[in-house]
Amino acid sequence: MMTLESLLLTPIIAGVIGLVVAAVFYVRMISQPMGNETMNRISSYVREGAMAFLVREYKVLAVYTVVVGIAIAIMLGSTAALFFVLGAVLSLLAGFAGMKAATHANVRTTQAAAIGSKAKALLVALDGGAVMGFAVAGLGLLGIGILYLIYANDPKVGTILHSFAVGASSIALFARIGGGIYTKAADVGADIAGKVIQGIPEDDPRNPGVIADNVGDNVGDVAGMGADIYESMVAAIVSAMAIALTIPASVIPQLTAEAGEANRTTAVLLPLVLSALGLVISVVVVFGARLFSNSKPAVVLRTALIIPPVLLTAVCALVLPSFGISQAVTVALAAGAFGGAIIGLITEYYTAAKPIRLVAEASLTGPATNIIRGLAVGMESTAIPIIVVALAAYVADAYLGLYGVAMAAVGMLAGTAVVMTVDAYGPIADNAGGISEMSGLGKEVRAITDELDAVGNTTAAIGKGFAIGSAILTVLALFSAFNMEVNHVRINNGLAEMKLDLTSSGVLIGILLGSILPFLVGSTTMTAVGRAAGKIVEEIRRQFKEIPGLLQGKAEPEPARIVDIATSAALYEMIVPGLIAVLAPVLVGFVMGPQALAGLLAGSMAVGAAMALFMANAGGAWDNAKKFIEKGGLPGHPKGSDAHKGAVVGDTVGDPFKDTSGPGVAILIKVMSVVSLMIAQLIATIG
Amino acid sequence: MMTLESLLLTPIIAGVIGLVVAAVFYVRMISQPMGNETMNRISSYVREGAMAFLVREYKVLAVYTVVVGIAIAIMLGSTAALFFVLGAVLSLLAGFAGMKAATHANVRTTQAAAIGSKAKALLVALDGGAVMGFAVAGLGLLGIGILYLIYANDPKVGTILHSFAVGASSIALFARIGGGIYTKAADVGADIAGKVIQGIPEDDPRNPGVIADNVGDNVGDVAGMGADIYESMVAAIVSAMAIALTIPASVIPQLTAEAGEANRTTAVLLPLVLSALGLVISVVVVFGARLFSNSKPAVVLRTALIIPPVLLTAVCALVLPSFGISQAVTVALAAGAFGGAIIGLITEYYTAAKPIRLVAEASLTGPATNIIRGLAVGMESTAIPIIVVALAAYVADAYLGLYGVAMAAVGMLAGTAVVMTVDAYGPIADNAGGISEMSGLGKEVRAITDELDAVGNTTAAIGKGFAIGSAILTVLALFSAFNMEVNHVRINNGLAEMKLDLTSSGVLIGILLGSILPFLVGSTTMTAVGRAAGKIVEEIRRQFKEIPGLLQGKAEPEPARIVDIATSAALYEMIVPGLIAVLAPVLVGFVMGPQALAGLLAGSMAVGAAMALFMANAGGAWDNAKKFIEKGGLPGHPKGSDAHKGAVVGDTVGDPFKDTSGPGVAILIKVMSVVSLMIAQLIATIG
């Protein structure tokens, strides 16, 4: 029988495989034809704008990383600080590589569409997305793999792992919120100034805000999303490892036939090894999906998203016995895997099927009824995903205790590389459409890119479902890890276990305070988008007024100024919501102690999980209801009708809902949990 | 030194005083001049419509009361069932009396305005509201007072109290949700069919939906609100009494110098006696406020709302020593009293000051930005009230334990009669405006009623703040009472105390499930309003089409048909959200046990408290932003401008937010807690 210890190197090997695969996809993509000069000029504007944002964002984050790194060095030691920085830097690297690939892939996708090959265009866009997908998964595994290889037997390994996760989380938080504000401010700003005020079409090259809008797709949906998924994967693995490290010997799950502490070693390594397996499976799935490039793209991508977690479960059922590991692990993984698939499909239902038609029909009586119906759909859509997560957690807990809950999250995230590939595909296809429009390539080319874009919308919904579902499970696991860490320290200090009784006033007050935070992040991010969009509208109007001949198409706009304004505004506006997420647990923890902090986490988790689903799905429903009407879903009410105008209002409200505030709230609860886990040992004895 | 036992009759005496005062106000109001025949015809339409709704609603509730009453009789005994029915019937009585008074007071207010006396009109409207105010407070005290007088020494007194509260809560739930659906469906339906589709002014007598709209004001804001506040008061008193009855002897708060069980008797009686004192203070305040009828109405009413709880605290500080009762009680009351005042003023800020201007300015760029800003204001507005509640709970708990939290709620609700008076004043003033418009009394009369109406809006915000703040505190107290009851039974059965550890999977899963419920009630109530409004629009359009001469003002509309449709729709649509609230705790309790139920309550409380504030305040902000523009707040953008149209969209979305779903969510968490408390002894030994 093989031992799991012999697999200590697999995460690192898998990480390297991931990076090699990313490089292969990059080379394939970059060798595709780039189209004519106009296309490349536009593409280079987008690329330069995106890179300029990234560079400026990274400067801000460098300051944050140094400040927090010093604080960690003082409080938790220099190794922890070093790995905090590594966790952050790997996230930045993944974002940089993915963004680079996406902004080269967009114009090549347009070119493939220009020669009339939909299958080819699909593949180019997917290749571009896969660079991000495998960079994210590969770097994550490599980081944790190396960390554990060096520090496996160090008593501080837990602290180092937590710090690594906080590094990953911090970047995700700011990249997600900053990117979310950028993308929606540019989108809304360009739309209001162009479509609403000037009455010119979307993506019209005369509109100075169109480049910024296309930059925003990359900044938000590639870099922001990538950092987010990287942190989900890291947090899920770290939470499982952290629980395994601190769980009382008496309740270590019986993974192998051996006694207590041998089980612990297996439990710590297992999430890493299984995630490595998940990456290898993802490679197979992505290459496999390419064979079906002539089938219906939506079906191929949907299947590709659902297969990896299910395949992982199947492989585990077959392989785990050879390592003498209990099939209870398979059950926990399956709970997560199937739960994720169900949530993904439910999310697609709420942003595609009957609910969309209801929202579209509500537009017949004006924007107000459209808004009311969209809000109602979003609220309703919270129920089944949360019930599914609760069920998955229940099953996993029944078989493996709280460690099982973390393993369910690991199972749900097994397809990280695929989820990220498909997610990054979306903005590439979207950009390809924009480039086609701005280069005047004509309706037929645009029809192909529009179809690819529509597919991206469907799969984005499924990907979003996975992301939020796994976030909730991960937060549950992190929450347990936090409590175990606190009690671990308390017992080592000869103190009684922390009382987390729901009726104690500390816990209840923590829950109440926690319930506020998702609303505050929702509020600050939505007003941030509004303010930033306002500045963009102002500048676009100025250009229309002051650049002679611009509206007649005889002069060039100055897109770089809009990009600059959007960048400054997004970076400025991300600070308040970002600091709320990082400082709230630190303040409550150090001032009120671990008991109130546990309450804070529970309250923000309860509210945040539902809020994130509500906002993401309401936004998706509005978006797709508008598209439904544009495709003729309401006979007699075409594009431009009153019903369509009502739906456009819903779509505009939905933009910050689904791409800024919803993801912001989801990352909020993850960051709070990770930060709490890191400071757990420092505050364990307070109160 | 006097003993508290000597005051056993005071709640009953105070209750009778309340009823006498209500009768006095009724007689005063009814003796005022009624105006001309047209006015009275319109007023009688409204009154008949409102009464017709009440009668049909009561029939539905009679079925519910009988079914649930039988279930209670079987499970908890016939006395409990009897008092469940009494709790319900007293609520219905209060609603009936208040509605009768309000629908007589509206036309008399119009008449006072018609003779040009603003002060007189204000007093008539206040007198009408005071009938409801003192009926609610008087009947509540009378009911609990009699119950306790008879059963003080019965071992089942706790169960009987819980059942009484469930009766009150059930009626509140359905009256609030049914009334909320009615009022907003009629409002939105009449507006869409009249203002939007036909382009005729608000309250135009040609619009067949105007009567139903005016009926709705009474059905929602008088009957629904009355039942809601009645249940808040009952629930706060009962939760304090229930905690006092079941608190372990070792932790009974040290209220008097005597030993344990003597303290218990004092603790049980105290909330009743203090509420009686609150009623007497309210009488003084309402009569006192009348002396200032020539001052600025908004200031008078705002002061009247804030004084009673503060006065109660002051009186207690002076009087409690004569009963040998600890000043810790004063501190707990003060925490609630001042907390309530702060929350009221914060609510007013978010629905009146700078936030309104921001929402109005956001309308300059269209309805979408108006909606986004309104949602953001609503989300932000959750923070301070919840922090204040948490602080109040913390202080009260520090001095008196969980019993103190309940006493803080009692303190916050000391002015129940005044809050209800001012709340019922609102729809009377609103109706007076409608009657003036429909009777063609001219602009000057309308100006007076409009000003009275505007005052009602301001004070409604403060009243709403009190209502939601006290609801959260009451739910905290009920939650504690539930846990004590469960453990009381478990210990009596030789079982260990229920483990309510936040990390146990039962609790966590309960919290997750609980987080869904406010969203589901929000979703079902919002779509209910939409569906019901749709039916009303259809019928109004039919009448415009089929009644010859109606639009030219030469024929009469058929308002009774609209009233009938609104009534049927509201009663039908209230069933699903109502059953969610009642059945969720029963199902989770009996299937999953008390531990998961406690989690469910905590999760729904965390989400529901914030959601209720979010929805109520966003709705208030939209409403007042529209009014701000109509009053010329945005120079160059008058009524009818694009900015105003954008604000109207926000107002329409805000209508179900603030008057249906927000209050629905608030009552949801109260009902769930009360029902859980009642079934606690039945499920205590499960799991």
Side-chain angles (χ1 to χ4, degrees):
Chain A
M1 196 181 282
M2 286 191 279
T3 67
L4 206 63
E5 283 74 14
S6 64
L7 300 179
L8 195 57
L9 284 174
T10 45
I12 297 173
I13 296 168
V16 172
I17 291 176
L19 295 183
V20 170
V21 170
V24 168
F25 278 116
Y26 187 82
V27 172
R28 286 181 63 105
M29 178 275 295
I30 208 83
S31 64
Q32 300 298 317
M34 310 166 48
N36 66 33
E37 202 201 327
T38 316
M39 288 159 66
N40 275 286
R41 185 167 44 80
I42 293 164
S43 164
S44 73
Y45 283 157
V46 174
R47 186 160 53 250
E48 282 157 21
M51 285 303 163
F53 174 81
L54 226 52
V55 169
R56 282 178 58 185
E57 185 183 55
Y58 287 6
K59 281 182 191 160
V60 175
L61 294 182
V63 175
Y64 168 88
T65 307
V66 168
V67 172
V68 177
I70 291 173
I72 292 177
I74 293 170
M75 295 190 300
L76 298 168
S78 55
T79 314
L82 188 74
F83 277 86
F84 161 76
V85 175
L86 183 69
V89 167
L90 292 181
S91 176
L92 299 179
L93 262 184
F96 183 81
M99 187 86 121
K100 190 123 196 140
T103 52
H104 279 295
N106 54 15
V107 66
R108 290 166 172 82
T109 303
T110 314
Q111 176 58 20
I115 59 168
S117 172
K118 193 169 76 187
K120 182 86 193 167
L122 175 71
L123 284 182
V124 175
L126 270 180
D127 286 356
V131 176
M132 186 67 165
F134 287 97
V136 158
L139 288 170
L141 272 174
L142 204 57
I144 308 181
I146 292 174
L147 189 165
Y148 191 67
L149 185 68
I150 306 176
Y151 296 99
N153 298 312
D154 191 303
K156 294 199 79 176
V157 61
T159 306
I160 302 169
L161 277 169
H162 307 162
S163 304
F164 183 85
V166 171
S169 274
S170 299
I171 303 305
L173 171 72
F174 288 104
R176 195 49 147 148
I177 293 182
I181 293 170
Y182 187 115
T183 181
K184 289 305 127 178
D187 188 358
V188 172
D191 277 3
I192 288 180
K195 285 201 283 191
V196 181
I197 299 181
Q198 291 293 345
I200 60 179
E202 186 151 1
D203 289 341
D204 190 295
R206 291 171 293 177
N207 188 337
V210 168
I211 296 290
D213 185 8
N214 279 279
V215 170
D217 291 341
N218 292 292
V219 160
D221 293 345
V222 180
M225 183 68 145
D228 195 352
I229 291 187
Y230 165 82
E231 103 80 28
S232 278
M233 183 181 137
V234 167
I237 297 174
V238 166
S239 66
M241 295 176 80
I243 291 176
L245 283 166
T246 52
I247 201 165
S250 57
V251 287
I252 297 178
Q254 184 69 23
L255 297 180
T256 65
E258 297 174 62
E261 288 300 318
N263 269 315
R264 188 189 297 278
T265 315
T266 305
V268 174
L269 194 53
L270 201 54
L272 254 180
V273 172
L274 292 179
S275 299
L277 180 59
L279 193 145
V280 173
I281 288 172
S282 299
V283 174
V284 174
V285 169
V286 166
F287 279 102
R290 298 177 59 89
L291 302 178
F292 297 89
S293 67
N294 283 311
S295 309
K296 224 174 154 217
V299 178
V300 176
L301 296 189
R302 187 192 292 130
T303 316
L305 279 171
I306 290 171
I307 280 187
V310 177
L311 209 55
L312 175 70
T313 310
V315 172
C316 281
L318 291 172
V319 171
L320 287 182
S322 357
F323 293 88
I325 293 172
S326 155
Q327 289 288 16
V329 173
T330 308
V331 175
L333 287 173
F338 288 96
I342 295 169
I343 294 173
L345 296 175
I346 289 291
T347 311
E348 195 195 347
Y349 167 78
Y350 274 110
T351 55
K354 188 180 154 213
I356 299 309
R357 216 176 48 244
L358 292 175
V359 176
E361 284 167 3
S363 323
L364 291 171
T365 37
T369 38
N370 169 284
I371 297 284
I372 290 175
R373 178 58 83 163
L375 290 169
V377 165
M379 288 183 180
E380 187 189 312
S381 77
T382 61
I384 301 179
I386 289 184
I387 291 173
V388 169
V389 169
L391 267 179
Y394 178 79
V395 170
D397 177 72
Y399 278 81
L400 275 185
L402 293 167
Y403 175 75
V405 176
M407 290 306 281
V410 169
M412 208 184 264
L413 283 163
T416 292
V418 180
V419 171
M420 189 61 231
T421 298
V422 173
D423 270 326
Y425 155 90
I428 295 174
D430 194 348
N431 265 219
I435 293 173
S436 148
E437 185 77 28
M438 284 183 275
S439 316
L441 293 182
K443 275 191 186 168
E444 282 167 30
V445 179
R446 180 77 206 219
I448 293 179
T449 60
D450 275 356
E451 196 186 330
L452 296 182
D453 191 17
V455 174
N457 270 310
T458 310
T459 50
I462 302 179
K464 213 171 266 177
F466 268 103
I468 299 182
S470 59
I472 307 174
L473 266 183
T474 306
V475 168
L476 278 176
L478 287 166
F479 179 67
S480 310
F482 164 76
N483 293 309
M484 283 182 193
E485 178 78 28
V486 168
N487 284 329
H488 190 66
V489 174
R490 289 180 70 91
I491 290 165
N492 285 350
N493 280 281
L495 292 168
E497 280 197 22
M498 167 171 62
K499 278 202 112 176
L500 272 188
D501 202 86
L502 255 188
T503 50
S504 77
S505 72
V507 171
L508 278 178
I509 287 167
I511 288 178
L512 278 180
L513 294 181
S515 75
I516 304 170
L517 299 175
F519 282 91
L520 276 187
V521 166
S523 170
T524 49
T525 49
M526 282 206 298
T527 50
V529 169
R531 270 190 303 268
K535 288 181 192 158
I536 291 171
V537 171
E538 215 171 279
E539 170 63 16
I540 296 178
R541 296 181 76 167
R542 188 197 65 78
Q543 293 196 17
F544 278 136
K545 209 184 294 173
E546 296 181 7
I547 301 178
L550 175 57
L551 266 175
Q552 293 74 39
K554 290 175 192 155
E556 293 279 314
E558 296 166 3
R561 295 203 52 163
I562 311 283
V563 169
D564 186 56
I565 290 171
T567 303
S568 305
L571 295 181
Y572 175 75
E573 296 283 0
M574 78 182 179
I575 294 174
V576 171
L579 289 186
I580 290 175
V582 177
L583 292 184
V586 173
L587 277 178
V588 169
F590 280 98
V591 176
M592 300 171 69
Q595 199 197 29
L597 178 51
L600 189 84
L601 294 178
S604 60
M605 179 193 72
V607 177
M611 279 278 278
L613 287 164
F614 159 54
M615 296 182 104
N617 293 341
W622 278 315
D623 184 7
N624 290 330
K626 185 196 72 168
K627 289 181 177 142
F628 178 78
I629 294 178
E630 289 172 354
K631 278 184 208 138
L634 295 180
H637 301 275
K639 196 169 171 169
S641 65
D642 279 349
H644 179 252
K645 280 179 193 158
V648 168
V649 172
D651 182 41
T652 312
V653 175
D655 269 341
F657 248 56
K658 73 180 196 310
D659 292 321
T660 314
S661 304
V665 169
I667 188 95
L668 164 80
I669 58 176
K670 288 195 287 177
V671 170
M672 285 178 59
S673 316
V674 172
V675 169
S676 302
L677 179 57
M678 185 181 76
I679 63 168
Q681 55 178 294
L682 299 172
I683 61 164
T685 55
I686 296 175
Chain B
M1 197 181 282
M2 287 191 281
T3 66
L4 207 62
E5 282 74 16
S6 64
L7 300 179
L8 196 57
L9 284 175
T10 44
I12 298 173
I13 296 168
V16 172
I17 291 177
L19 295 182
V20 170
V21 171
V24 168
F25 279 116
Y26 188 83
V27 172
R28 287 180 64 103
M29 179 274 296
I30 209 82
S31 63
Q32 300 299 316
M34 309 166 50
N36 67 33
E37 200 199 327
T38 315
M39 287 159 67
N40 275 287
R41 184 166 44 79
I42 294 164
S43 164
S44 73
Y45 283 156
V46 174
R47 186 163 50 252
E48 282 157 21
M51 286 302 163
F53 173 82
L54 226 51
V55 169
R56 281 177 58 185
E57 185 183 56
Y58 286 5
K59 280 184 191 158
V60 175
L61 293 182
V63 175
Y64 168 89
T65 307
V66 169
V67 171
V68 176
I70 291 173
I72 292 177
I74 294 169
M75 295 192 300
L76 298 167
S78 55
T79 314
L82 189 74
F83 276 87
F84 160 76
V85 174
L86 183 68
V89 167
L90 291 183
S91 176
L92 298 179
L93 262 184
F96 184 81
M99 187 88 120
K100 191 121 195 143
T103 52
H104 279 293
N106 53 16
V107 67
R108 288 166 174 81
T109 304
T110 314
Q111 176 59 20
I115 59 165
S117 172
K118 193 170 75 186
K120 182 89 195 165
L122 175 72
L123 285 182
V124 175
L126 270 180
D127 285 355
V131 176
M132 186 67 165
F134 287 96
V136 158
L139 288 171
L141 272 174
L142 205 58
I144 308 181
I146 291 174
L147 188 164
Y148 191 67
L149 185 68
I150 306 177
Y151 296 100
N153 297 312
D154 190 305
K156 293 200 79 177
V157 61
T159 306
I160 302 169
L161 277 168
H162 306 162
S163 304
F164 183 84
V166 170
S169 273
S170 299
I171 302 305
L173 171 73
F174 289 103
R176 197 48 149 146
I177 293 182
I181 293 170
Y182 186 115
T183 179
K184 288 305 126 178
D187 187 0
V188 172
D191 277 2
I192 288 180
K195 286 200 283 190
V196 182
I197 299 180
Q198 291 292 346
I200 60 178
E202 185 151 3
D203 289 340
D204 190 295
R206 290 170 293 176
N207 188 337
V210 168
I211 296 290
D213 185 7
N214 280 280
V215 170
D217 291 340
N218 292 292
V219 159
D221 294 344
V222 180
M225 184 68 149
D228 195 351
I229 291 187
Y230 166 81
E231 103 85 21
S232 277
M233 183 182 137
V234 167
I237 298 175
V238 166
S239 67
M241 296 175 81
I243 291 176
L245 284 166
T246 53
I247 201 165
S250 56
V251 288
I252 298 178
Q254 183 71 23
L255 296 180
T256 64
E258 297 174 62
E261 289 300 319
N263 269 315
R264 189 189 298 278
T265 316
T266 307
V268 174
L269 194 53
L270 201 53
L272 254 180
V273 172
L274 292 180
S275 299
L277 180 58
L279 194 146
V280 174
I281 289 173
S282 298
V283 174
V284 175
V285 169
V286 167
F287 279 102
R290 298 178 59 89
L291 301 178
F292 297 90
S293 67
N294 282 311
S295 309
K296 225 173 155 218
V299 178
V300 176
L301 296 189
R302 187 192 292 131
T303 315
L305 279 170
I306 291 172
I307 281 187
V310 177
L311 210 55
L312 175 70
T313 310
V315 172
C316 281
L318 292 173
V319 171
L320 287 182
S322 354
F323 293 89
I325 293 172
S326 157
Q327 289 288 15
V329 173
T330 309
V331 175
L333 287 173
F338 288 96
I342 295 169
I343 294 173
L345 296 176
I346 290 291
T347 311
E348 196 196 345
Y349 167 77
Y350 275 109
T351 55
K354 189 179 153 212
I356 299 310
R357 215 176 49 244
L358 292 175
V359 176
E361 284 166 5
S363 322
L364 290 172
T365 38
T369 37
N370 169 284
I371 297 284
I372 290 176
R373 177 57 81 163
L375 290 168
V377 165
M379 288 182 181
E380 189 189 313
S381 76
T382 61
I384 300 179
I386 290 184
I387 291 173
V388 169
V389 169
L391 268 179
Y394 178 80
V395 170
D397 177 70
Y399 278 80
L400 275 185
L402 293 166
Y403 175 75
V405 177
M407 290 306 280
V410 169
M412 208 184 264
L413 283 162
T416 292
V418 180
V419 172
M420 189 61 231
T421 298
V422 174
D423 270 326
Y425 156 88
I428 295 174
D430 194 350
N431 265 219
I435 293 173
S436 148
E437 186 77 28
M438 285 184 274
S439 315
L441 293 184
K443 274 190 187 171
E444 281 166 32
V445 179
R446 181 79 207 219
I448 292 179
T449 59
D450 275 357
E451 196 186 330
L452 295 182
D453 191 17
V455 174
N457 270 310
T458 310
T459 51
I462 302 179
K464 214 172 263 176
F466 267 104
I468 299 183
S470 60
I472 307 173
L473 266 183
T474 306
V475 167
L476 277 176
L478 286 166
F479 179 68
S480 310
F482 163 77
N483 293 310
M484 284 183 192
E485 178 77 28
V486 167
N487 285 329
H488 190 67
V489 174
R490 288 181 70 90
I491 290 166
N492 285 351
N493 280 280
L495 293 167
E497 281 197 24
M498 166 171 64
K499 278 201 112 177
L500 273 188
D501 202 86
L502 255 187
T503 49
S504 78
S505 72
V507 171
L508 277 177
I509 287 168
I511 288 179
L512 279 180
L513 295 180
S515 75
I516 304 170
L517 298 175
F519 282 92
L520 276 186
V521 166
S523 171
T524 48
T525 48
M526 283 208 297
T527 50
V529 169
R531 271 190 302 269
K535 287 182 193 156
I536 291 170
V537 171
E538 215 171 279
E539 169 64 14
I540 296 179
R541 296 181 75 166
R542 188 197 66 77
Q543 292 197 18
F544 277 135
K545 209 183 293 171
E546 297 181 8
I547 301 179
L550 176 56
L551 266 175
Q552 293 74 40
K554 291 177 191 153
E556 292 279 314
E558 296 166 4
R561 295 203 50 163
I562 311 283
V563 169
D564 186 56
I565 290 172
T567 302
S568 305
L571 295 180
Y572 174 75
E573 296 282 0
M574 77 182 181
I575 293 173
V576 171
L579 288 185
I580 291 175
V582 177
L583 291 184
V586 174
L587 277 179
V588 169
F590 280 99
V591 175
M592 300 171 70
Q595 199 197 27
L597 179 51
L600 189 84
L601 293 179
S604 60
M605 178 193 71
V607 177
M611 280 277 279
L613 287 164
F614 159 53
M615 297 181 104
N617 293 341
W622 278 316
D623 184 7
N624 289 331
K626 186 195 74 168
K627 289 182 177 144
F628 178 78
I629 294 178
E630 288 172 354
K631 277 184 210 140
L634 296 179
H637 302 275
K639 194 168 173 172
S641 65
D642 279 348
H644 179 251
K645 281 181 193 156
V648 168
V649 172
D651 181 43
T652 312
V653 174
D655 269 341
F657 248 56
K658 74 179 195 309
D659 292 321
T660 313
S661 304
V665 168
I667 189 96
L668 164 81
I669 58 176
K670 288 195 286 177
V671 170
M672 285 178 60
S673 315
V674 172
V675 170
S676 302
L677 178 58
M678 184 182 75
I679 63 170
Q681 55 179 295
L682 301 172
I683 61 164
T685 56
I686 297 175

